[in-house]
Amino acid sequence: MADQKTNKEQRYDRQLRLWGDHGQEALENAHICLVNATATGTEILKNLILPGIGAFTIVDGHKVTGEDVGNNFFLSSDSIGKNRAQAATEFLQELNNDVSGNFVEESPDKLLDNDTEFFHRFSLVIGVQLPESTSLRLGSVLWSAGVPFLVCRTYGLVGYMRLVVKEHTVVESHPDNALEDLRLDQPFTELKNHIATYDLDSMEKKDHSHTPWIVVVAKYLETWYNEHDFQLPKNYKDKEAFRKLIREGIRMNENGAPEEEENFDEAIKNVNTALNPTKITSAVEDIFNSEQCESITSQTSSFWLMARGVRDFVQNEGSGSLPVRGSIPDMIADSDKFINLQNVYRQKALQDAAVVARHIQSHLQAVGKPPESISEQDIKLFCKNAAFLRVVRCRSLAEEYSVDTFLKDTITSGMDSPDNEMVLYLMLRAVDRFYQQHSRYPGATITSKTRHIKLALEQLSSPLTPSVYNYQVEEDISTLKLCVNSLLQEYALNVNVKDDYVHEFCRYGAAEPHTVASFLGGAAAQEAIKLITHQFVPFNNTFIYNAMAQTSATFQL
């Protein structure tokens, strides 16, 4: 058993550093459903199988064609004629023996006709290259069931993702450049007592130069308070004066020159960090004020129970502050002084977490749940990350597509620039409209091989491209223009879509170039891991990738 754990740690070492053992456990307990094993779909699954998801199921009623083999690395010429779900599953399972692979040889529409609850069993459903009607139908079923739905699409040189999730909670959001939780502006009793044990003036030279910078700042704050009516340094002028006060505390050598005391240099450097006011962010305040946090029932999730416990702590024992995080940054100090200071913060964090746990247990008891429903480890982790909690709420596909609830202002403002990625979104909606009317996509009669050569030529800006290929798509251009205009008219959008985009989307012929599919596969897998582990914050809610310009954008639609 120990050897098995060691092998797993060695195999997944780099990702364990990102999301930890608990994140890996969540990944290994996940069951992902992929609808359609196209090039984009298999690239997404590849990037989920390698890090070790528990299981996947591919739903695909299509047979493998030469077109599939031409752009999908997880199919071969021997696969032609076989069911695409089965053929892709066989190749994908070779990537990781610990992952269980399954397949269903049916279209999603047939499954929805026969068993609407089929998709309820999955941790996440990823729909790839789906017609609009299927996306809306499947999205409605998953929305009602509370199952996250990630819609992905590669269309020529355009990548598209849409996240559909009613509510997604994040405990470990891993924010960039998070400020330390030092509480020097509101020191707790144990920290005050610890700082009081230091007397910088009477210290020997070695101790003076190896006192943690947090203690140095705290000691000079006491001096500052006495001279400034107990007000923190707030503006740039105050902080510069405070830095000067600390600088004056550096010992002088026998020649009257300042000693090299790196801990004081660190203190001066970290004045902004140290003086960061202890407060609760608006995002966390919104969580505390939400209905889910207020009304606790037997159906309330552990996230909201723990959020209520932290809120109770803030309103009572915390006196308006969150539980202490319990960590301090590395710094120049001797080992004993650093460890002693670190223990002060750690012990306070444990005490605060214990108080929060009592609040949570009282709520669990009130709704008839056993106290062990939420583990002590989960409560500690929640308290440690209380300042960074996030809740993502997406709009449903039905809301996005309805004339009554679509976000007209967002689309209009996005089209202020005619080449904004928003135009690609409108074009994707237009080609879907074309598909509804003609049961094929514009330009899709061109063979796969021709389309891939055509796209390569376009990327090289070949002057031969228009004369060689325009005649093949000319008939669809006028029809697609009508689809664009009817879309804009239906939604009362007073925006202009350049003809160049209409021509370009017709030339794409719904091709799925592997380069774009591979990029989107990596991006989609990253979002899937965020959803599964409840770590890092997923996008909300639409992502557009422009492979022509190598740009991307996110929109809330």
Side-chain angles (χ1 to χ4, degrees):
M1 191 70 179
D3 290 341
Q4 184 180 356
K5 185 177 180 182
T6 301
N7 290 336
K8 185 174 287 187
E9 287 175 349
Q10 289 176 347
R11 178 188 293 185
Y12 300 132
D13 176 67
R14 292 178 69 184
Q15 64 200 48
L16 286 171
R17 297 167 191 257
L18 277 176
W19 52 68
D21 292 333
H22 54 292
Q24 186 64 29
E25 183 180 359
L27 207 61
E28 292 173 2
N29 289 331
H31 190 170
I32 307 298
C33 177
L34 172 70
V35 180
N36 287 338
T38 68
T40 304
T42 54
E43 285 295 324
I44 296 169
L45 267 190
K46 176 197 75 176
N47 292 311
L48 292 172
I49 292 168
L50 289 172
I53 57 167
F56 68 88
T57 295
I58 298 178
V59 173
D60 196 336
H62 295 90
K63 299 292 185 183
V64 177
T65 65
E67 180 177 348
D68 293 319
V69 175
N71 71 340
N72 194 328
F73 285 164
F74 293 95
L75 298 171
S76 70
S77 56
D78 294 335
S79 306
I80 294 176
K82 294 181 180 178
N83 174 264
R84 194 165 62 182
Q86 178 183 1
T89 299
E90 291 171 357
F91 280 102
L92 286 164
Q93 279 199 288
E94 295 177 8
L95 296 173
N96 193 334
N97 294 330
D98 293 335
V99 177
S100 172
N102 312 280
F103 61 91
V104 177
E105 300 181 34
E106 283 192 44
S107 71
D109 286 310
K110 279 189 177 180
L111 281 175
L112 289 170
D113 287 339
N114 299 327
D115 181 11
T116 56
E117 294 185 359
F118 171 83
F119 294 99
H120 293 189
R121 72 193 72 179
F122 300 108
S123 312
L124 168 69
V125 175
I126 302 172
V128 180
Q129 309 297 93
L130 293 174
E132 182 182 296
S133 58
T134 305
S135 289
L136 285 167
R137 189 179 177 196
L138 181 55
S140 176
V141 169
L142 295 173
W143 182 266
S144 299
V147 177
F149 184 32
L150 185 59
V151 183
C152 300
R153 185 177 193 179
T154 298
Y155 198 99
L157 300 179
V158 176
Y160 164 88
M161 289 194 295
R162 171 63 154 91
L163 177 59
V164 188
V165 59
K166 196 175 290 187
E167 177 183 280
H168 176 72
T169 55
V170 184
V171 176
E172 296 171 88
S173 59
H174 300 279
D176 295 329
N177 305 315
L179 294 170
E180 301 290 343
D181 181 25
L182 302 178
R183 307 290 175 105
L184 293 183
D185 62 325
Q186 298 177 20
F188 46 92
T189 303
E190 294 85 351
L191 180 59
K192 285 181 181 178
N193 293 340
H194 181 76
I195 291 168
T197 63
Y198 286 84
D199 185 352
L200 296 177
D201 294 333
S202 62
M203 279 182 177
E204 293 184 3
K205 177 181 175 181
K206 181 181 177 182
D207 289 333
H208 194 267
S209 60
H210 286 80
T211 297
W213 70 258
I214 292 175
V215 175
V216 173
V217 171
K219 297 301 284 187
Y220 282 94
L221 263 179
E222 293 174 359
T223 304
W224 176 273
Y225 282 147
N226 291 333
E227 298 173 358
H228 295 82
D229 196 26
F230 293 93
Q231 295 295 311
L232 276 172
K234 293 180 180 177
N235 52 39
Y236 176 79
K237 182 179 178 181
D238 285 350
K239 290 177 181 177
E240 280 299 301
F242 185 62
R243 289 188 181 96
K244 182 181 178 184
L245 181 64
I246 297 173
R247 197 174 288 113
E248 289 170 352
I250 297 174
R251 294 272 177 93
M252 299 292 178
N253 62 21
E254 56 191 16
N255 297 320
E259 295 276 7
E260 289 188 8
E261 295 193 307
E262 292 179 281
N263 58 331
F264 273 73
D265 292 336
E266 279 188 330
I268 294 165
K269 179 183 175 182
N270 285 287
V271 162
N272 281 337
T273 299
L275 301 181
N276 183 54
T278 302
K279 62 181 181 180
I280 300 175
T281 63
S282 59
V284 176
E285 287 281 11
D286 289 343
I287 290 172
F288 288 163
N289 294 331
S290 66
E291 176 64 24
Q292 293 92 328
C293 197
E294 182 65 39
S295 301
I296 303 298
T297 69
S298 59
Q299 303 302 313
T300 300
S301 69
S302 59
F303 176 91
W304 289 109
L305 276 162
M306 289 190 284
R308 177 58 182 271
V310 172
R311 191 187 82 169
D312 292 345
F313 173 89
V314 169
Q315 294 175 347
N316 296 282
E317 298 85 357
S319 302
S321 297
L322 294 168
V324 169
R325 203 175 306 160
S327 60
I328 59 174
D330 198 9
M331 63 191 73
I332 294 168
D334 66 47
S335 297
D336 288 342
K337 289 185 176 66
F338 178 80
I339 291 170
N340 289 337
L341 179 62
Q342 189 178 53
N343 285 338
V344 170
Y345 281 94
R346 281 183 177 173
Q347 289 302 316
K348 178 58 176 172
L350 290 173
Q351 291 172 18
D352 288 354
V355 175
V356 171
R358 289 197 291 272
H359 286 297
I360 293 170
Q361 286 170 4
S362 68
H363 289 296
L364 287 170
Q365 187 176 7
V367 296
K369 285 188 173 183
E372 60 272 14
S373 299
I374 301 176
S375 70
E376 181 183 345
Q377 183 179 354
D378 286 344
I379 294 172
K380 288 178 181 177
L381 183 67
F382 195 92
C383 290
K384 182 179 180 181
N385 291 280
F388 312 123
L389 303 175
R390 295 292 183 272
V391 176
V392 176
R393 294 186 177 96
C394 298
R395 280 160 48 90
S396 68
L397 286 175
E399 289 173 306
E400 176 187 341
Y401 281 68
S402 170
V403 174
D404 297 325
T405 55
F406 87 107
L407 299 181
K408 179 179 179 180
D409 291 343
T410 301
I411 295 173
T412 303
S413 62
M415 288 295 291
D416 285 346
S417 168
D419 294 316
N420 185 281
E421 285 79 4
M422 184 62 78
V423 72
L424 303 178
Y425 167 78
L426 292 174
M427 287 305 306
L428 289 172
R429 293 288 303 275
V431 297
D432 279 336
R433 185 159 292 208
F434 185 104
Y435 182 88
Q436 288 173 1
Q437 296 172 6
H438 304 280
S439 299
R440 66 175 180 86
Y441 290 103
T445 54
I446 307 169
T447 66
S448 172
K449 183 177 180 181
T450 304
R451 275 183 298 199
H452 295 317
I453 294 172
K454 167 181 65 65
L455 287 173
L457 287 171
E458 287 176 356
Q459 286 178 295
L460 293 172
S461 301
S462 169
L464 295 175
T465 304
S467 60
V468 174
Y469 295 106
N470 273 3
Y471 76 93
Q472 299 176 350
V473 299
E474 196 68 39
E475 291 182 5
D476 287 344
I477 289 175
S478 58
T479 308
L480 183 56
K481 280 184 182 178
L482 292 174
C483 292
V484 171
N485 291 334
S486 69
L487 177 75
L488 300 180
Q489 184 176 2
E490 180 180 339
Y491 289 93
L493 290 167
N494 186 23
V495 299
N496 179 49
V497 175
K498 294 194 294 189
D499 286 351
D500 289 349
Y501 288 103
V502 177
H503 285 249
E504 196 71 19
F505 271 71
C506 282
R507 284 194 288 268
Y508 287 161
E512 191 180 2
H514 184 266
T515 49
V516 183
S518 180
F519 175 88
L520 199 65
Q526 178 175 282
E527 297 305 314
I529 289 171
K530 292 177 185 178
L531 293 167
I532 294 164
T533 62
H534 289 263
Q535 294 189 40
F536 303 93
V537 183
F539 72 96
N540 185 4
N541 55 28
T542 302
F543 172 85
I544 303 285
Y545 170 59
N546 182 346
M548 295 174 283
Q550 293 293 294
T551 58
S552 64
T554 56
F555 303 102
Q556 289 194 25
L557 298 175

